[in-house]
Amino acid sequence: MKTDIGIIGMGVMGQNLALNMASKGYGVSVYNRRENRTREFAENKAKKKDIIPTYDLAEFVKSLDKPKKILLMIKAGSPVDEVIAKLTPLLDEGDVILDGGNSNFRDTDRRVEEANSRGLLYLGTGISGGEYGARHGPSIMPGGNEEAYDLVGNLLEDIAAQIPEGPCCAYLGPRSAGHYVKMVHNGIEYGVMESIAEAYWLMNKGLNMEPEDMSSTFEKWNEDLDSYLMEITVSVLKEEDEKTGKPLINLILDTAEQKGTGKWTVQNALELGVPVPTISAAVDGRFISSRKRERKNNSDKIFLEKPARLTGKSNWTEKIHDALYLSTVSAYTQGIYLLNVASSEYEYDLNLDEVARIWKDGCIIRSNLLDEAQKGLRNDPENPNLLFVEPFLSNVKDKSVSTREILSRGRKAGLALPAISSSLDYLVEFSSAYLPANMIQAQRDFFGAHTYQRRDREGYFHNEWLDDN
Ligand code: 6PG
C-alpha cells in the first residue's frame, strides 16, 4: 500500500503535521536526515498510526502514491536546495514538492521555476500555528502551481483549522504568493508582539503593576479581541518559575531573537516604497534589545534618573489599552497595505478578503481584528489603508486621543515605546493634508537642482538659490 503524502524533516512541525494528516485518514511516509529522529517518532508518537517511517530517500519516494506529493519541513535556506537536489532525480513528471518552511519568497520564485523546468510542480506553502497548530489545525498559505493545488488542496484543507466560513487554507496565487503572504503574516506578528510588550512595559514600569495584575488586565482586554498573542501573554504573566517560585517573566533575559521573516517584510516594504513603521519599529526593537552589553554600558550616561511612574488622576490602564489597540491595528493594516501593493507589483492577484479569512484561526496572528479587516476590505476595496476605513476608522479616531496622552506621559516617565509611537506618527502623517516635505523639496532643489512643484501653480520649478554676484 502506497501512502498519500511524504514529509521530509521530523522536527516538531514535521512530526505534528504527520500526526495531523494521519488523524484525518491520510497515509504518510516520513523521512529525516538523521535516522534516530524518525525511529524515535515511529516507536513513540507515530506508533499504530498510518505513518510509515523510511530510512533512505529512495525508499521514501518509492513508498508514495503517484503523482507523488512531498512536503519539506526543513530549515529555510540552503538545506531546502540541498534536499531538492537529492530528491529531483528520484521524481517523475507531475510530482509535487511543497515547501512548508519559512522560505524567503525570492528563493521560492527561483525554486518554482527550477522545478517546473524539470516537469515538477511546486507549492511554496506558508504554515502558521506552531506545534499546537500543526497538530490540531494550522493556517495554511499555499502559492505556486495551481495544478499542484488541485492534487493536494483537499488534504491541506482537511488538516487546516476549520471555521464556519471554511478551512483556513486557500490557494493564494502563482509563484511565491504563499510564502510572501506568510512573510507578511510574520511581519504583523512582530508588530503585535512589540505593541503588547510596550503595553506590558507601561503597566510594569509606569504603573508598578505585578505580573498577576497585568495578566488579569490583558485577559479582560482580550474578551473582545480574542487575540492569540494576547491570550498567550495572559498565560506568560501567570507563569511561575519552578525553582524560585518567582514570576518567570521577571527572570527571562530581555534580548529578543529572530529568524528573519520580520526583517524581510521591512526590507521588501522598503523596496516597494510602502511604509510599515510599526513592523519596522518591532524589528529594530529586537535588534536593540539584543545589544544588551552596549545598553548596559550606556545605561547611566544620559538619563541619570530611573524611569518615573505615571502619576496624577487618570485611568491609565484604559489609555494603555487604547494605545495597544491603535498600535495592533496599525500592524495589521500596514501588513495588508503591503500585500495590496505587492499583489499588483508581483502579479500575485491576491484575494485579500480570503487572506484575512484564512488568518482567522490556526495562525499566530488570529484575532477578531481579522473580521474587522474583512469588513473594511469590503466597505472600501479601493482604499489600501484600512485605518481610514470603517470599522477601524471610528475606533482609531476614538483611541487616538488617549494614545497621544499615554505616549507623552510614558515618554516623560522615561520609557521607550517605539511601536506605539510609530503607529501614532503613521496615523498623524497619513491624516495630514500638509507635511513639512516642502522643506525637503526646497533643500533638494538648493543643492542638486532637483526642482519642486508649487502649491499655487502647475509644473516643475527650479529656483536660483545662490546669489552668484
Ligand atoms: C508561525 C510563526 C513561526 C515563526 C516563529 C518564530 O506563524 O507559526 O510565525 O513561523 O517561525 O514565530 O519567528 P522569529 O524567530 O522570527 O521570532
Side-chain angles (χ1 to χ4, degrees), residues 186-195 197-198 229 254-263 278-292 295 364 418:
N186 283 25
I188 296 172
E189 175 184 302
Y190 275 52
V192 177
M193 289 167 77
E194 172 67 22
S195 305
E198 290 175 19
L229 285 168
D254 54 329
T255 58
E257 299 182 6
Q258 52 188 312
K259 294 199 201 75
T261 42
K263 186 174 85 180
T278 310
I279 300 171
S280 181
V283 175
D284 283 338
R286 289 200 193 189
F287 285 139
I288 296 175
S289 81
S290 70
R291 294 171 189 266
K292 173 86 176 173
R295 289 194 281 122
I364 304 294

Side-chain angles (χ1 to χ4, degrees), residues 246-260:
K246 291 181 181 163
L248 185 58
I249 188 70
N250 294 346
L251 301 173
I252 296 178
L253 194 68
D254 54 329
T255 58
E257 299 182 6
Q258 52 188 312
K259 294 199 201 75

Side-chain angles (χ1 to χ4, degrees), residues 372-410:
E372 311 278 284
Q374 273 188 309
K375 284 182 200 152
L377 287 162
R378 288 171 197 172
N379 283 345
D380 191 353
E382 297 309 313
N383 195 335
N385 197 336
L386 292 181
L387 275 183
F388 297 93
V389 178
E390 294 297 357
F392 287 137
L393 178 63
S394 305
N395 279 330
V396 162
K397 191 174 168 190
D398 188 45
K399 290 172 172 53
S400 63
V401 180
S402 32
T403 304
R404 272 173 216 241
E405 213 180 316
I406 192 73
L407 262 182
S408 70
R409 294 302 295 259

